[in-house]
Amino acid sequence: MLEPNLVVSETEFWEAAVSTAEQRFHKLCDEAEAMSIQGYLQDGTVVYWNRASEMIYGYSAQEAIGRNLLDLIIPPAAWAAVQHDMAQMFETGKGIPAARLTLRHKDGHPVSVFSSHTVVALPGHPKVMFCMDADMSALAQAEEELRIAATAFESQQGMLITDAHDRILRVNSAFTQATGYRAEELLGQSPRILHSGHQEAVFFDQMWHTLRAQGSWQGELSHRRQSGEVYTDWATINAVRNPLGDVTHYVYALTDITQRKQVEAQLTQLAFYDALTHLPNRRLLHDRLHQAIAARQRHRHCAALLFVDVDDFKGLNDTLGHEMGDLLLQQLADRLQRHVRDSDTVARFGGDKFVVMLDDLSDDLAVAAADAERTAHKLLSVVGEPYSLREQHYRSEVSIGITLFQASDCTVDELIRQAEMAMYAAKAAGRNKLRFFDVRMQSEVSHRVALINSLREGLKHAELRLFCQPQVSHTGQLIGAEALVRWAHPERGMVSPAEFIPIAESSGLILPLGIWVMAEACRQLVAWTEQLGTSDFTLAVNVSAAQFAQPDFVEQVRVVLNDTGTDPRRLKLELTESMLVNGVDDVIAKMESLRQLGVGFSLDDFGTGYSSLSYLQRLPLNQLKIDQSFVAGLQRDRSSEVIVQTIIALGQSLGLTVIAEGVETESQRDMLTRLGCEAFQGYLIGRPMPMVDFEARFLRRPDAVMS
Ligand code: C2E
Ligand code: CA
Ligand code: CA
């Protein structure tokens, strides 16, 4: 600290004071951080260069001092301007106003500074211009980023920014143009106002789930313009988080892809569909066939290929012209399409040839063949109806070749060839015909068709008979009977139900047949009422799965019971496990309703189905019927005995009676009795017989059953 001192002269004192101030000033200038200070002579020679200048411009004081300002930090483009400004400053002694300048670092990169200037003139000394530059690089960079962001935001893509609460904060002009809304109409709203309503709530739930979990989401959004028009955006949504990790904004980038999708759809249409009929073309047919063949690995369902060829199409073209030919093909294609199921494929194979693929037929080849045949017949008949081509009536027919496939080892080409060959065979047989590729299949189908027709006739002409087979308790007491249908065929005699029931099932004839059996059984029960007295006699009626599956099955039974005046407790329905494929809940509901009427249930052929305890417990059953195959196996193998034992134990635990069917010998009956079986049915007790015989043999002499 300098203080006036009496020992020191005034001059000495002032000299010392100036020197101190100068030192302070130098130190201050030298050490001022972030404030670059340089001093220049009029010709630009550097005379002062503080530490901050070293930092900002990259030259050390040593390097800088003595060199020229222009060579050091002024970009050549600004040389003339700087020279002009400096000349002015040195002349007037005043600095030019402070301003933002872009200067140059030693390594060439631009340096943004806020620069002010002072000219210092001391007597006896050359004028020095001091520049004081504050580093503005960070600010410049932020500004640059903003400029980039702003340019990016105003891109071709629609951009939308919301806050964390789903309120729109900003939209760009591409977005307002695309949607037809003005920005003011959107700000503060939720992007939901743009939704078309074509996407479900679950879709958006998923979107938000992903967005929250991963911070971004991409996908298609269906939007609605202000005009009401619906379009599709490809959307990328990104969450913006603050340093604490909380989402502050969502940024949507949206590109209208409606046109692209339309083009894609058109391309697909061109590549896979026929332009004239809009049906799948050969290529798509190949694809679907491949898939259908591959699917045979997973299940055993049959599929059929129908090769359809228009009879004498050339004749039509020649007489009426190609345009009419095209019209016919269009209408014909339409008819084919309308008369198969949605899951089937109708394809235009080329020219006047079409291929129909029927998927998911029965796993029984014969039944599948019958189904394919029925469909083919229907197609023959709808295609054969008159066409109206430009007011002209025209008739056309087709020939159909059919092949079936069940295994996954056949090839697409092989199948098409088979169906095509069969089609030529159909043509050869005269037109408007269908033929199977496989001769055996052909005869099988013919046989079935004949049988179905004659069974239909038989039903009409009262050729069915109801037989009756007795059921007894282990004490030999008659407890009931099973009603078994027979077909008294005029030429073939008694036909076994084993032969015609499956056909009745596949043709739908089982429904009228089942009703007839039920009504006949009830009429018989009523007729026997007096002779039956108060005993627990029941008549069991077999019910097919298809019959039971009818929505009004319960009502049908109720009507039969009412109309005949039957005591429902005397009727027992024999069901099989196959009915469960139609849904256990539906089965249970129907059984419950019937049980409330008093009707009982026996589970037929038990042990051969896909028995599962879990559903068995839920079914309101009265009885389990041990399948005859186990009874027959009793003396042959040990496993049958184990199964019988298990069924009996199961019945006991569920509180059900157990009856064995197919009991042919005394030893079978004894063994069953020993295992705990309570009731028997079989040739040992009595064969199925006409009702009158049953009545004469069992009801008149109820005690003498075990003769
Ligand atoms: P199911 O219900 O298992 O009937 C028992 C079959 O075993 C009957 O054959 C019967 O004649 C035969 N059977 C009885 N006792 C013995 C025996 O001791 N030994 C041998 N080997 N066989 C015996 P059926 O009458 O030919 O009936 C065959 C199948 O046809 C029945 O099997 C049943 O599934 C079906 N069915 C018969 N009638 C009807 C009906 O009215 N409606 C329906 N949906 N199906 C019926
Ligand atoms: Ca039965
Ligand atoms: Ca049975």
Side-chain angles (χ1 to χ4, degrees), residues 5 58 71 94 145 244 482 493 573 621 653:
N5 184 327
D71 298 332
K94 282 198 207 118
E145 274 164 17
L244 294 174
E482 177 175 4
L573 302 185
L621 288 166
S653 75

Side-chain angles (χ1 to χ4, degrees), residues 333-350:
D334 197 46
R335 291 184 192 183
L336 292 178
Q337 180 94 71
R338 267 188 291 128
H339 289 86
V340 296
R341 294 175 305 176
D342 287 346
S343 54
D344 299 332
T345 298
V346 178
R348 179 156 181 226
F349 195 70

Side-chain angles (χ1 to χ4, degrees), residues 296 299-303 362-365 404-408 410:
R296 299 310 114 180
H299 53 68
R300 295 284 302 154
H301 295 298
C302 291
S362 164
D363 46 10
D364 177 336
L365 199 64
L404 276 96
F405 58 104
Q406 190 166 28
S408 57
C410 46

Side-chain angles (χ1 to χ4, degrees), residues 47 57 129 132 222 269 306 323 394 412 415 482 520 558 568-569 620 645 682 707:
V47 292
Y57 296 109
M129 176 189 77
M132 283 148 286
S222 174
Q269 183 76 23
L306 277 53
E323 217 180 311
Y394 189 82
V412 169
L415 285 173
E482 177 175 4
E520 189 65 20
R558 201 199 316 267
R569 287 167 303 172
Q645 231 168 347
S707 56

Side-chain angles (χ1 to χ4, degrees), residues 66 75 116 209 247 326 344 365 391 433 509 552 652 706:
S116 50
H209 179 79
V247 173
D326 284 354
D344 299 332
L365 199 64
E391 319 280 299
K433 291 261 169 4
L509 285 175
D552 64 342
Q652 281 166 351
M706 303 290 289

Side-chain angles (χ1 to χ4, degrees), residues 469 482 485-486 497 517 542 544 604-605 628 662 664 682-683 688:
Q469 185 177 31
E482 177 175 4
V485 71
R486 296 287 179 268
V517 169
N542 292 286
S544 286
D604 203 358
D605 304 340
Q628 45 186 298
E664 295 182 351
Y683 294 169

Side-chain angles (χ1 to χ4, degrees), residues 479-498:
I479 52 171
E482 177 175 4
L484 291 159
V485 71
R486 296 287 179 268
W487 179 10
H489 197 275
E491 287 128 42
R492 296 175 54 197
M494 281 300 171
V495 181
S496 158

Side-chain angles (χ1 to χ4, degrees), residues 482-484 540-542 574 576 604-605 625 661 681:
E482 177 175 4
L484 291 159
V541 168
N542 292 286
E574 288 201 2
T576 57
D604 203 358
D605 304 340
K625 199 169 192 183
E661 69 178 337
Q681 175 183 347

